[in-house]
Amino acid sequence: MEKPHFYSLPKLPYGYKELAPYISEEQLQLHHEKHHQAYVTGANAVFEKLEQGRKAGSDLDMKATLKELSFHIGGHLLHSLFWANLAPAGKGGGGKPAGVLGAAIDKEFGGFERFQKEFTQAAVSAEGSGWAALTFCQLTNRPVIMQIEKHNVNVYPMFSILLVLDVWEHAYYLDYKNLRAKFVEAFWSIVSWEEANRRFAGLLKGGAK
Ligand code: MN
């Protein structure tokens, strides 16, 4: 099947009201339709600029162009992972990881509570706009927490992302104002461990994306 040449905004796997009260309808809709869409539009615009430059044979400022492309692609990919690793509370959201991921977290962190504490601290302390991510290193078989600034700074190359949490202000400001820690606390009620486990099992089989 031929793949699309440009990015597009993915549909959410739940309704805008379904993550409330942890994420309100207004907050979720704005975040998805406006903020995420802006990264999709931004990445596609850079690809168009590159295509036009190639056709015209004109020079582009490659450093600036690639920095902009990395920012928008990072934003698009992280948001796509984020929506998929959330689920309505009590309907797939919340609880603790089971399966292969639960076992890997227990082994590396000595238990879920310690992992939750470290991940929470990573999310709360990300400088400015950023993300907390749970990744996996296939060289050492370790789950590793990654703190991402903006959408693209501090990324460990080749570590696959199992779980992400968006801690840009636009992710929570309508619901929690400046209280990022409250939003991070709420995240644990709507996190989808099933999706994180699916990503991890796929990675262990060599088929993860
Ligand atoms: Mn965001």
Side-chain angles (χ1 to χ4, degrees):
M1 200 178 89
E2 197 176 340
K3 299 213 170 175
H5 203 47
F6 288 100
Y7 295 119
S8 59
L9 186 69
K11 285 202 162 50
L12 296 187
Y14 34 75
Y16 285 128
K17 294 178 182 178
E18 287 187 81
L19 299 184
Y22 305 101
I23 300 177
S24 68
E25 179 185 12
E26 186 187 12
Q27 177 72 77
L28 184 58
Q29 188 164 1
L30 186 73
H31 194 178
H32 179 245
E33 285 185 350
K34 302 295 181 193
H35 291 281
H36 186 171
Q37 180 65 56
Y39 303 120
V40 171
T41 304
N44 290 340
V46 177
F47 280 132
E48 277 180 4
K49 191 168 87 173
L50 284 164
E51 277 184 17
Q52 283 165 7
R54 287 164 192 161
K55 272 187 202 150
S58 58
D59 285 337
L60 295 170
D61 178 344
M62 285 312 288
K63 185 180 172 188
T65 303
L66 295 181
K67 198 170 182 179
E68 194 185 348
L69 186 63
S70 157
F71 177 79
H72 289 303
I73 290 179
H76 172 48
L77 299 183
L78 286 167
H79 282 93
S80 300
L81 287 167
F82 181 50
W83 307 132
N85 72 218
L86 298 179
K91 294 181 193 164
K96 294 180 184 185
V100 284
L101 182 58
I105 284 176
D106 283 348
K107 185 174 175 219
E108 176 67 19
F109 297 91
F112 176 71
E113 284 69 26
R114 178 70 197 187
F115 157 75
Q116 192 178 32
K117 188 177 169 190
E118 289 188 19
F119 188 95
T120 295
Q121 287 171 341
V124 169
S125 68
E127 279 182 17
S129 300
W131 299 73
L134 174 63
T135 67
F136 185 69
C137 171
Q138 287 177 293
L139 295 176
T140 58
N141 278 344
R142 283 177 188 270
V144 181
I145 292 170
M146 179 164 77
Q147 192 181 55
I148 307 168
E149 289 174 18
K150 296 184 182 176
H151 302 306
N152 46 0
V153 183
N154 295 347
V155 172
Y156 307 141
M158 298 173 70
F159 282 20
S160 291
I161 293 175
L162 306 175
L163 183 75
V164 280
L165 169 57
D166 188 346
V167 288
W168 283 56
E169 279 190 348
H170 72 223
Y172 60 84
Y173 205 81
L174 290 180
D175 291 339
Y176 300 95
K177 298 294 182 281
N178 61 327
L179 302 177
R180 184 194 288 182
K182 290 273 178 205
F183 172 59
V184 174
E185 191 185 331
F187 168 72
W188 298 113
S189 295
I190 49 172
V191 58
S192 170
W193 288 113
E194 190 183 336
E195 172 63 15
N197 243 313
R198 194 192 64 75
R199 289 174 190 161
F200 189 39
L203 186 69
L204 295 177
K205 273 193 284 184
K209 49 182 177 172

